[in-house]
Amino acid sequence: MRFEQTRDVLNHIGAFHKQAGALYAELKAHCSSSRVRLLLDYIARHELNLEKNIASYRDNLSESLLSSWFKYTHDQDIFAALKEVDREKDMPFDDVLDLALELDGQLVELYQEMMERSTSAEVKDIFNSLLLQEMKEKQTLVRNALGLMDI
C-alpha cells in the first residue's frame, strides 16, 4: 500500500494489529497444545491492545501532523506475512513465537522507513517513538513467551 500522509500510516498500522489479533485467535481454534493456546491468547490480546493504543495515539495528534505528507511513498505490503499463514495448521510453540517476531519485524521496518522518508522533524519523532515502543513490546513478548515455556 502506498502511504501519503501520517494518518494513512497510522490507520494502516491499526488495521495490521487488528488483523494480526484475529489471525492469532484463528490459530488458537486449531491448536492442540494448552501452552500454545495460552501463547496465542496472550498475543491476540496484545495485538488488539496495540490496535487501541495506535488509535488513541492517532486521536491525540494534531491535524497538521496527521496530514503531513511524505516525500516518497511506502510500497511494501506489511499484510503479506499475515496472508501467508496457514490458519488451520496446529503450530508448535516455537513457530508461533517466530511468527510473532516476524510480524513485529515488519512494523519495525515500516517505522524505520517512515522516519527516513519524513520531511518533518515532528513526524520523525512520532515514528521514532512508535519504533521504540515496538522494540519494547517485542522484548516483553519474548520475555512472557519464555515464561510460558516454564509452565
Side-chain angles (χ1 to χ4, degrees), residues 20-70:
L23 168 67
Y24 294 123
E26 283 181 56
L27 290 172
K28 183 181 170 192
H30 299 284
C31 180
S32 60
S33 165
S34 58
R35 182 177 296 146
V36 176
R37 276 197 305 274
L38 282 172
L39 178 61
L40 287 166
D41 188 48
Y42 166 74
I43 298 172
R45 282 184 282 117
H46 180 76
E47 289 293 338
L48 295 177
N49 223 12
L50 290 173
E51 175 198 6
K52 290 177 187 173
N53 290 347
I54 290 291
S56 176
Y57 190 76
R58 181 197 60 224
D59 293 346
N60 288 313
L61 292 175
S62 69
E63 182 59 33
S64 63
L65 287 175
L66 289 171
S67 60
S68 180
W69 291 86
F70 289 95

Side-chain angles (χ1 to χ4, degrees), residues 36-120:
V36 176
R37 276 197 305 274
L38 282 172
L39 178 61
L40 287 166
D41 188 48
Y42 166 74
I43 298 172
R45 282 184 282 117
H46 180 76
E47 289 293 338
L48 295 177
N49 223 12
L50 290 173
E51 175 198 6
K52 290 177 187 173
N53 290 347
I54 290 291
S56 176
Y57 190 76
R58 181 197 60 224
D59 293 346
N60 288 313
L61 292 175
S62 69
E63 182 59 33
S64 63
L65 287 175
L66 289 171
S67 60
S68 180
W69 291 86
F70 289 95
K71 189 173 181 179
Y72 303 103
T73 58
H74 174 80
D75 292 323
Q76 181 185 355
D77 181 10
I78 63 172
F79 290 92
L82 294 174
K83 296 172 190 171
E84 294 172 2
V85 176
D86 180 356
R87 295 167 186 263
E88 295 183 14
K89 180 181 178 188
D90 186 0
M91 294 177 74
F93 191 94
D94 290 344
D95 288 357
V96 171
L97 185 55
D98 287 346
L99 174 63
L101 294 175
E102 176 188 345
L103 295 179
D104 282 348
Q106 294 283 328
L107 290 175
V108 166
E109 287 178 24
L110 175 63
Y111 294 146
Q112 289 171 333
E113 183 179 344
M114 293 299 101
M115 285 171 46
E116 291 169 9
R117 293 182 182 224
S118 175
T119 57
S120 159

